[in-house]
Amino acid sequence: MKIIQTQQSAIDNVTKYIVEDMAFGKNEVSVIRKDTKNIIVLPSQTNCKMGCKFCHLTGTTRPAEDLSPYWFARIIDLMRTEAKLNDKPLLISFMGAGEPLLNYGNILLV
């Protein structure tokens, strides 16, 4: 697993990372830095199959695969190291790609 692109927001303390690995390809992860905590925003799937009309993922051709507990653990460790997130409490938010309730079993294992 490696970071292939980073984008820092010009208006707030959010950094987006594009990560790539052999199992799930490219995925986006965000890090939000707050005064009292850091938040990692993770996808729960590689895409979404819900078909909501407001979502930018609707109609894309990439299949929605459940990300694994092993993937979650690896990405959290990678973000802690690369984004230097060891100084404050760390919260995990599954608000990225996919519907977390469709991958509930794997998320619980995190």
Side-chain angles (χ1 to χ4, degrees):
M1 179 177 288
K2 63 182 177 179
I3 296 171
I4 60 171
Q5 186 177 351
T6 304
Q7 178 72 42
Q8 178 64 45
S9 171
I11 59 173
D12 55 20
N13 210 358
V14 176
T15 307
K16 294 196 180 271
Y17 297 87
I18 304 298
V19 296
E20 184 175 37
D21 68 294
M22 298 297 288
F24 296 107
K26 295 177 185 174
N27 289 283
E28 181 180 300
V29 175
S30 296
V31 172
I32 304 168
R33 295 175 190 278
K34 301 279 190 176
D35 290 337
T36 60
K37 63 189 169 214
N38 292 312
I39 304 167
I40 299 177
V41 181
L42 295 177
S44 57
Q45 299 173 310
T46 57
N47 202 342
C48 189
K49 51 187 157 193
M50 297 301 293
C52 301
K53 294 190 185 304
F54 66 86
C55 184
H56 72 280
L57 293 174
T58 298
T60 61
T61 58
R62 184 177 181 191
E65 296 179 61
D66 290 344
L67 294 168
S68 69
Y70 178 69
W71 188 90
F72 295 132
R74 287 179 53 221
I75 198 68
I76 291 166
D77 285 345
L78 179 66
M79 290 296 105
R80 279 188 174 167
T81 302
E82 294 298 318
K84 298 177 176 74
L85 300 179
N86 294 319
D87 60 333
K88 299 175 195 166
L90 182 63
L91 281 75
I92 307 298
S93 172
F94 290 97
M95 296 296 291
E99 172 51 56
L101 291 176
L102 294 178
N103 194 12
Y104 186 70
N106 285 342
I107 289 170
L108 280 181
L109 295 173
V110 176

